Amino acid sequence: MRQWGNSRALSHYLKEDYIIKAKVKFNQELQEVYKNRSDALKWLLVVSFGYTGFKNAPLSSPNIFEQINKWGRIALIQTKDIFEEQGFDVLHIYIDSIFVKREEPITDEIIDSLLIKVKKETGLPISLECIYKWVVFLPSKVNSRYVVPNSYFGVFQNGDIKARGIQCRRGDKPPFVKNSQIKIIEMLAEAKDLSCIRETFPQIFNFIMKQVEKIKQGQIPIEDLIITQRLSKNIEDYIMPSHVAKAGIQLKSAGVDIRAGSKIKFIYIKGNPRVLPWDLVPNSKGYQIDIEHYISLFKDAVKTVLIPFSIEEDFIENLIKLIPAKQLSFIPINERLRKFKISSSEDSNYYLY
């Protein structure tokens, strides 16, 4: 088959990426170097794919974009069928990834034979990224019967954590919230398996209370409260300004050149306009950090990673109420554990494996 333009230019990068990923497995000393190279090649490929479907790009091609999606879906369906024929349950499929599960032991020989068969059937190479100890797929807020395509978190068998689409991966959340959520997942990851998850709850609850106490007492560095967002359009094009737009308006009034695409840092404060650009903080006086809003952001991040483990939302609400953490510390941990209501799998809208 004759190759044209994009496919000819990108095939070299694709082949190079496969070679580098193979090297990662056999050279532990240079693992980080190879991973960074692989990530760079991945972004070249991802950006090139997105470029074909961007209508304002000079060389965009909607037909090519649609064909890439078409053949990608065909390859995923073929891969799904192959794994199901071998007794695997397909948990989730997303763009170029497939999550599978099998109750029987999985050997390297089984995995290798499946990868070879997928390559033969689809014409595309496939590799095993990892084996999870457990993984959580989060439901849609619009319809909880469906899983959000790219919103999950889990722990590999080697203890590494992977998260997509949750607060710790989002640029519009402050470091305080992101780092706290990562810490909670790390504590959950300390459990040997799912049956031992409850053993991590006491230290997680204590951590949550300490974080709330820190934010209330002003012990969180203000740099950890910064939100970073990009303007999606020019300031004058906003009809109902968002928080980032309000920060942009203040910067523009201060003589800063602001336009669509500008990255703006700001903090949440009490009173109008609710936000204060980070660049204006040094010369601003009399503002008060909106502690309640930051605790609300923190609370949402906690719920995201704890509710799937059958911890009720009401319990989390009570744990994070704006009362001194030291008052909660007088409640024995066993008393708090008795307040749990463990939901049955039939009642749960979360997909935990």
Side-chain angles (χ1 to χ4, degrees):
M1 182 183 293
R2 188 173 182 181
Q3 288 185 316
W4 296 90
N6 249 7
S7 60
R8 188 192 308 166
L10 297 177
S11 61
H12 168 73
Y13 297 118
L14 191 58
K15 291 175 183 176
E16 185 67 20
D17 191 32
Y18 295 145
I19 294 171
I20 290 174
K21 284 181 177 177
K23 289 180 179 179
V24 169
K25 297 180 180 179
F26 300 105
N27 193 328
Q28 296 298 318
E29 292 182 0
L30 295 176
Q31 192 173 40
E32 189 66 25
V33 174
Y34 288 138
K35 183 182 181 301
N36 290 338
R37 289 179 182 177
S38 178
D39 288 345
L41 289 170
K42 172 189 172 182
W43 279 110
L44 280 172
L45 296 166
V46 169
V47 170
S48 298
F49 164 67
Y51 190 86
T52 62
F54 181 48
K55 64 180 180 179
N56 293 327
L59 299 177
S60 67
S61 176
N63 289 333
I64 293 177
F65 184 77
E66 290 173 3
Q67 285 296 311
I68 294 172
N69 283 295
K70 171 189 171 182
W71 290 107
R73 286 193 294 269
I74 291 174
L76 277 175
I77 291 171
Q78 290 176 319
T79 303
K80 177 186 78 72
D81 292 341
I82 291 170
F83 275 90
E84 287 180 336
E85 288 170 3
Q86 297 299 317
F88 286 83
D89 293 325
V90 175
L91 306 179
H92 192 53
I93 295 176
Y94 181 70
I95 300 181
D96 61 352
S97 303
I98 182 168
F99 295 80
V100 297
K101 175 185 177 182
R102 196 173 83 158
E103 297 299 333
E104 295 78 13
I106 304 172
T107 64
D108 291 339
E109 290 74 18
I110 292 174
I111 293 295
D112 290 340
S113 64
L114 282 168
L115 299 184
I116 292 171
K117 189 170 184 179
V118 169
K119 184 176 180 179
K120 183 178 179 181
E121 294 285 332
T122 65
L124 297 172
I126 183 174
S127 62
L128 175 68
E129 180 185 12
C130 67
I131 298 178
Y132 285 89
K133 281 202 299 185
W134 52 261
V135 60
V136 176
F137 299 104
L138 299 172
S140 167
K141 292 182 179 179
V142 177
N143 189 337
S144 61
R145 293 173 56 194
Y146 298 101
V147 174
V148 178
N150 193 27
S151 187
Y152 63 90
F153 65 96
V155 179
F156 300 168
Q157 285 189 338
N158 66 0
D160 289 346
I161 292 169
K162 183 167 185 177
R164 293 290 183 270
I166 63 176
Q167 286 87 346
C168 65
R169 294 282 300 182
R170 293 179 53 176
D172 61 346
K173 303 302 177 189
F176 163 68
V177 170
K178 296 163 72 170
N179 295 336
S180 296
Q181 189 179 61
I182 291 172
K183 180 63 177 177
I184 292 173
I185 297 175
E186 288 175 346
M187 287 188 278
L188 290 168
E190 292 174 6
K192 183 173 63 176
D193 52 42
L194 275 178
S195 64
C196 301
I197 284 287
R198 288 178 65 97
E199 296 173 5
T200 67
F201 290 172
Q203 66 169 329
I204 290 173
F205 298 152
N206 286 330
F207 171 76
I208 291 170
M209 291 187 291
K210 286 178 181 177
Q211 291 299 88
V212 173
E213 187 176 27
K214 283 181 180 179
I215 185 69
K216 284 186 62 215
Q217 296 182 0
Q219 296 175 359
I220 302 296
I222 192 170
E223 291 82 5
D224 287 345
L225 302 179
I226 297 173
I227 307 287
T228 304
Q229 286 184 273
R230 288 187 184 275
L231 283 174
S232 59
K233 47 191 173 183
N234 292 323
I235 292 296
E236 56 271 16
D237 295 330
Y238 282 91
I239 298 175
M240 295 290 290
S242 60
H243 288 144
V244 66
K246 289 179 179 179
I249 291 171
Q250 294 176 64
L251 286 172
K252 193 166 185 177
S253 298
V256 181
D257 182 23
I258 295 296
R259 62 188 70 183
S262 295
K263 186 182 287 188
I264 296 178
K265 297 181 178 182
F266 61 90
I267 57 174
Y268 287 106
I269 60 173
K270 290 184 177 181
N272 290 324
R274 289 290 315 281
V275 297
L276 178 63
W278 179 244
D279 290 346
L280 302 185
V281 167
N283 297 322
S284 300
K285 296 180 180 179
Y287 66 87
Q288 286 184 299
I289 301 293
D290 191 346
I291 300 299
E292 291 185 14
H293 186 75
Y294 281 103
I295 290 180
S296 177
L297 295 176
F298 174 72
K299 179 170 59 179
D300 290 342
V302 170
K303 289 180 180 179
T304 296
V305 293
L306 289 189
I307 288 180
F309 295 98
S310 301
I311 298 178
E312 285 215 334
E313 187 170 348
D314 287 346
F315 179 87
I316 298 173
E317 290 281 352
N318 291 331
L319 200 64
I320 304 180
K321 272 183 178 177
L322 290 180
I323 56 177
K326 60 184 179 183
Q327 291 185 24
L328 281 177
S329 66
F330 289 111
I331 303 175
I333 213 69
N334 289 336
E335 286 296 319
R336 281 178 263 154
L337 290 174
R338 289 195 191 103
K339 295 182 180 180
F340 293 152
K341 176 184 176 184
I342 305 300
S343 304
S344 67
S345 58
E346 289 79 8
D347 296 332
S348 177
N349 289 322
Y350 290 82
Y351 300 82
L352 172 61
Y353 301 95

